[in-house]
Amino acid sequence: MNHLLPGFESKQRVALLLSLTRISSPEVIAALTLHYTSALPAERAAARHGIELSNFMRGQKKLEQIAATVEAIKAIDWAKLQSTHLQSSPLQPKQVA
């Protein structure tokens, strides 16, 4: 499942996700950022930054894995927030007799 949508991600989100990886090549980082922020096809983003498509794809796979982990954490936090909110609600509907 893809968690990142080409053309719909902000530069800040991509940069934060990249910071959680060991990807260090400026060209790979630039190509991935371009792909996810502008929807430029992977082949063109890789070519524009002078990298092999296989290197781009390897970085893309790692970035997707990180994004999946972040989304899983968010789901856990959301479920916990929802259950906490429901338990601490001071107003319960009154029963009409």
Side-chain angles (χ1 to χ4, degrees), residues 23 28 32 46 50-61:
I23 299 170
V28 173
L32 288 167
I51 62 171
E52 295 292 326
L53 183 59
S54 61
N55 291 337
F56 177 91
M57 300 303 284
R58 188 171 28 259
Q60 186 178 37
K61 182 178 177 182

Side-chain angles (χ1 to χ4, degrees), residues 1 37 40 42 72 87:
M1 176 180 188
T37 59
L40 191 68
Q87 291 172 1

Side-chain angles (χ1 to χ4, degrees), residues 26 47 68-69 91 93:
T69 301
L91 301 176

Side-chain angles (χ1 to χ4, degrees), residues 24-42:
S24 61
S25 165
E27 293 82 10
V28 173
I29 291 169
L32 288 167
T33 302
L34 180 63
H35 174 66
Y36 284 114
T37 59
S38 71
L40 191 68

Side-chain angles (χ1 to χ4, degrees), residues 1-96:
M1 176 180 188
N2 291 339
H3 296 278
L4 300 172
L5 298 173
F8 289 94
E9 305 299 334
S10 69
K11 286 184 180 182
Q12 184 180 18
R13 179 176 166 81
V14 174
L16 287 170
L17 290 170
L18 284 165
S19 75
L20 299 173
T21 72
R22 290 186 174 183
I23 299 170
S24 61
S25 165
E27 293 82 10
V28 173
I29 291 169
L32 288 167
T33 302
L34 180 63
H35 174 66
Y36 284 114
T37 59
S38 71
L40 191 68
E43 297 82 7
R44 293 191 57 204
R48 182 170 291 179
H49 290 284
I51 62 171
E52 295 292 326
L53 183 59
S54 61
N55 291 337
F56 177 91
M57 300 303 284
R58 188 171 28 259
Q60 186 178 37
K61 182 178 177 182
K62 184 62 180 172
L63 205 56
E64 282 289 345
Q65 290 170 343
I66 295 296
T69 301
V70 168
E71 291 301 321
I73 292 168
K74 285 169 48 177
I76 292 167
D77 289 347
W78 180 250
K80 184 177 178 181
L81 179 66
Q82 291 294 85
S83 68
T84 302
H85 177 66
L86 291 175
Q87 291 172 1
S88 65
S89 178
L91 301 176
Q92 295 292 332
K94 292 185 178 182
Q95 300 267 337
V96 178

